[in-house]
């Protein structure tokens, strides 16, 4: 595999040069990682979209580089982006491997900058701690404990929490790698190397960067025996690292009592740890599976946040969360990744991420589809939902509904033209029809405004669909109320006409009915 040869050259330089950083531009960091994930997601469908995302990543790196304070790291990231561009001409796996490496380098820079600041007596900001927790995949309890330790200036415990999370990711990725010359093994080794950047400087036991590059070289050459031995050594090293990080460092403040935050183990060996720790025994298939199941949970969480963002008229955040879901699913259990429709599902996920005017029903279809895949295969109803939202979405949906909105007043005009407006019964019928068509009119206008705002990047416009009666939370009761009013007016109008024409009621009711006849009778 020539792609692994290209990757090993970068790994050898990048994994050995993750150093300190100054105060980072967190906005540029988020843009860099978001664009990298989007490029990997877009590559199977469109190389042009992937290239556009890499351009955005490079622009973000230009803003981030001056705040990193480490020239070798900047050069490593630039090299990874350059190789990612070159990988566009090969396979999606090549680009994905380069993205994994670049993400690891950026994550390592954020980790080191935070610890350097704590060592200098500068507590990280709340946004920085939150971003760290997201990047390292910490649970809610572990995130709260990390926030507490960071606020208290406990650099050792902050480092321990992040190192332990990274070590678990390294171990899980190595558990997925097999001594075979396959794309899955290639990506698993690249992912393990990317996560290793966060623990190598803190004392990684017997693990060394050269072991990862050596394993990739053996994979390239098809040296199955050598690769088997290298993977065994890497797994043994990851087990030792996990064992070394099983116990939390003691809190050194004399006035500080043992921590009892959620997810925080006791600082002494006697009490049982509150937060689950990685097993100390040799790696077994159960350890990667546990991490893989956690990856599926992260995918569900990201899809849930995407649903919330799309329902609040924030498609930008929704697309970011879809990218996170795509990244999390790359670590899913083998049983899920080998499901018959898994690749097609990832394609639908990538297409939704690139769709303008993203609506909640598209995300709901993705959530239902993932639940179906967990049961073994994509059900027909979920496949139809994904196909429907994929076809009838974005500009097509906005354009068609806008056309319906423009046509909605036409029958009202023709009805008034044909029967006039002097008869109160015909006026009631016209009002009933107007109430029935009102949701379609509003949906068409707001949907087109939202799609246009998403296209040109105007936040005030792209939030318009949040007020739609078809997508907003209050839409169903509002439509029910309009329908009830329309039914009441229609019943009143048609019954009045039936009485007027002598079809209902008695002679007295017909006499009491309005004397004015309809205009079309006069014309006849």
């Amino acid at each position: 595999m020539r792609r692994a040869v290209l990757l090993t050259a970068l790994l050898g330089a990048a994994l050995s040069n993750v150093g300190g950083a100054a105060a980072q531009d967190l906005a540029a960091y988020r843009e860099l990682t978001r664009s990298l994930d989007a490029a990997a997601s877009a590559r199977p469908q469109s190389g042009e979209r992937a290239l556009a995302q890499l351009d955005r990543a490079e622009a973000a790196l230009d803003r981030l580089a001056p705040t990193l304070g480490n020239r070798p790291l900047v050069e490593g990231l630039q090299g990874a982006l350059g190789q990612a561009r070159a990988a566009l001409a090969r396979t999606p796996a090549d680009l994905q491997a380069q993205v994994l490496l670049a993400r690891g380098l950026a994550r390592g820079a954020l980790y080191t900058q935070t610890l350097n600041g704590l060592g200098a007596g500068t507590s990280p900001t709340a946004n920085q701690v939150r971003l760290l927790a997201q990047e390292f995949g910490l649970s809610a309890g572990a995130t709260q404990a990390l926030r507490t330790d960071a606020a208290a200036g406990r650099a050792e415990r902050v480092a321990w929490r992040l190192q332990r999370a990274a070590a678990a990711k390294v171990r899980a990725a190595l558990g997925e790698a097999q001594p075979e010359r396959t794309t899955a093994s290639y990506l698993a080794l690249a992912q393990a190397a990317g996560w290793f950047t966060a623990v190598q400087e803190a004392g990684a036991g017997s693990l060394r960067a050269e072991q990862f590059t050596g394993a990739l070289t053996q994979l390239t050459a098809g040296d199955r025996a050598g690769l088997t031995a290298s993977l065994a050594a890497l797994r043994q090293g990851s087990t030792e690292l996990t064992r070394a990080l099983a116990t939390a460092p003691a809190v050194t403040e004399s006035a500080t009592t043992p921590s009892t935050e959620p997810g925080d183990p006791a600082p002494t060996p006697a009490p049982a740890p509150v937060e689950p720790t990685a097993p100390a025994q040799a790696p077994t298939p159960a350890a990667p599976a546990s991490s893989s199941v956690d990856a599926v949970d992260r995918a569900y969480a990201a899809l849930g946040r995407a649903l919330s963002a799309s329902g609040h008229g924030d498609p930008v955040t929704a697309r970011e969360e879809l990218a996170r879901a795509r990244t999390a699913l790359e670590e899913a259990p083998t049983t899920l990744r080998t499901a018959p429709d898994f690749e097609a599902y990832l394609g639908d996920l990538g297409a939704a991420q690139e769709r303008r005017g993203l609506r909640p029903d598209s995300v709901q279809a993705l959530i239902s589809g993932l639940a179906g895949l967990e049961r073994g295969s994509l059900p027909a109803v979920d496949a139809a939902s994904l196909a429907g939202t994929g076809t009838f979405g974005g500009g097509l949906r906005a354009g068609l509904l806008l056309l319906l909105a423009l046509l909605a007043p036409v029958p009202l005009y023709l009805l008034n033209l044909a029967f006039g407006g002097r008869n109160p019964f015909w006026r009631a019928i016209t009002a009933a029809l107007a109430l029935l068509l009102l949701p379609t009119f509003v949906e068409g206008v707001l949907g087109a405004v939202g799609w246009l705002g998403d296209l040109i990047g105007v936040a005030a416009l792209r939030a318009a669909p949040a007020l739609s009666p078809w997508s907003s939370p209050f839409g169903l009761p509002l439509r029910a109320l309009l329908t009830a009013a329309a039914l009441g007016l229609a019943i009143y109008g048609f019954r009045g006409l039936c009485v007027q024409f002598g079809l209902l009621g008695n002679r007295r009711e017909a006499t009491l009915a309005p004397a004015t006849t309809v205009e079309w009778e006069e014309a006849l």
Side-chain angles (χ1 to χ4, degrees):
M1 294 182 179
R2 185 179 60 176
R3 58 193 181 192
V5 175
L6 297 172
L7 187 61
T8 52
L10 283 173
L11 284 173
L15 285 175
S16 59
N17 287 304
V18 180
Q24 288 188 26
D25 183 345
L26 297 184
Y29 180 93
R30 289 189 179 93
E31 179 66 22
L32 171 65
T33 56
R34 181 169 59 244
S35 299
L36 287 172
D37 291 339
S41 299
R43 174 62 182 86
Q45 289 77 38
S46 171
E48 292 77 8
R49 290 203 302 267
L51 179 59
Q53 293 294 341
L54 289 178
D55 289 338
R56 294 179 60 183
E58 187 170 5
L61 179 58
D62 290 340
R63 299 195 306 273
L64 179 64
T67 68
L68 290 179
N70 186 292
R71 187 60 191 171
L73 176 59
V74 174
E75 292 176 353
L77 280 167
Q78 290 173 341
L81 285 179
Q83 289 297 337
R85 287 180 177 276
L88 286 173
R90 297 189 294 276
T91 66
D94 293 304
L95 176 60
Q96 189 176 346
Q98 299 299 332
V99 166
L100 290 172
L101 173 58
R103 293 281 275 110
L105 292 172
R107 190 186 301 114
L110 180 64
Y111 162 87
T112 307
Q113 178 265 338
T114 303
L115 292 183
N116 286 349
L118 283 171
T122 303
S123 297
T125 64
N127 287 337
Q128 188 170 342
V129 175
R130 187 183 306 112
L131 182 59
L132 266 173
Q134 291 174 353
E135 288 293 284
F136 281 77
L138 299 185
S139 64
T143 299
Q144 179 59 41
L146 179 72
R147 186 180 296 115
T148 301
D149 286 336
R154 303 167 187 161
E156 296 83 0
R157 292 175 69 83
V158 169
W160 168 73
R161 294 185 185 284
L162 299 177
Q163 291 163 15
R164 190 175 58 162
K169 299 294 192 301
V170 172
R171 188 178 181 186
L174 290 175
E176 295 288 342
Q178 300 298 324
E180 301 172 354
R181 194 183 180 190
T182 61
T183 297
S185 295
Y186 168 61
L187 292 178
L189 279 173
Q191 186 177 37
W195 278 107
F196 183 66
T197 59
V199 294
Q200 60 168 345
E201 284 196 344
S206 61
L207 282 180
R208 295 291 182 270
E210 295 78 9
Q211 292 177 272
F212 292 94
T213 58
L216 280 166
T217 301
Q218 292 164 343
L219 186 148
T220 302
D223 183 3
R224 185 166 185 173
L227 181 58
T228 301
S230 295
L231 286 176
L234 286 169
R235 287 168 179 161
Q236 179 61 31
S238 69
T239 301
E240 295 174 359
L241 177 61
T242 300
R243 185 181 297 114
L245 294 170
T247 303
V251 179
T252 57
E253 296 91 342
S254 58
T256 305
T257 58
S259 174
T260 58
E261 311 102 350
D264 189 9
T268 60
V274 177
E275 184 176 349
T277 58
Q281 65 270 18
T284 63
S290 177
S291 177
S292 299
V293 171
D294 181 62
V296 177
D297 292 339
R298 295 200 310 273
Y300 272 118
L303 288 173
R305 289 190 292 268
L307 178 61
S308 176
S310 62
H312 288 82
D314 187 6
V316 174
T317 301
R319 285 193 288 269
E320 294 175 3
E321 295 301 332
L322 290 180
R324 289 186 183 277
R326 175 68 170 82
T327 302
L329 287 177
E330 293 169 359
E331 305 174 14
T334 304
T335 53
L336 180 62
R337 288 188 285 108
T338 56
D341 302 302
F342 183 73
E343 292 299 328
Y345 177 83
L346 290 185
D348 292 329
L349 184 56
Q353 184 184 339
E354 296 298 320
R355 190 175 304 144
R356 297 293 178 183
L358 186 64
R359 306 302 288 273
D361 53 357
S362 297
V363 186
Q364 288 171 345
L366 290 170
I367 295 175
S368 299
L370 180 56
L373 284 177
E374 283 192 293
R375 292 191 292 268
S377 63
L378 194 64
V381 62
D382 292 330
S385 298
L386 288 170
T389 56
T391 303
F392 185 66
L396 176 62
R397 171 174 177 157
L400 182 57
L401 290 181
L402 179 61
L403 177 61
L404 295 178
L406 296 177
L407 292 176
V410 174
L412 302 177
Y413 168 75
L414 295 177
L415 180 62
N416 184 72
L417 183 66
F419 300 109
R422 286 179 289 177
N423 190 309
F425 303 130
W426 282 118
R427 289 200 302 269
I429 294 171
T430 303
L433 183 59
L435 291 177
L436 291 176
L437 293 175
L438 183 60
T440 301
F441 178 80
V442 174
E443 169 68 19
V445 173
L446 294 181
V449 170
W451 178 84
L452 179 63
D454 198 13
L455 183 64
I456 64 179
V458 179
L461 296 182
R462 67 181 174 225
L467 303 175
S468 164
W470 284 8
S471 302
S472 58
F474 56 82
L476 181 59
L478 178 61
R479 281 183 290 153
L481 181 62
L482 291 176
T483 302
L487 287 174
L489 289 171
I491 292 172
Y492 168 77
F494 282 113
R495 185 184 185 284
L497 289 178
C498 290
V499 170
Q500 183 174 329
F501 296 149
L503 301 176
L504 285 177
N506 50 34
R507 183 179 298 274
R508 175 177 174 80
E509 286 183 326
T511 303
L512 294 176
T516 305
T517 58
V518 293
E519 287 76 1
W520 57 270
E521 282 190 277
E522 297 174 355
L524 290 176

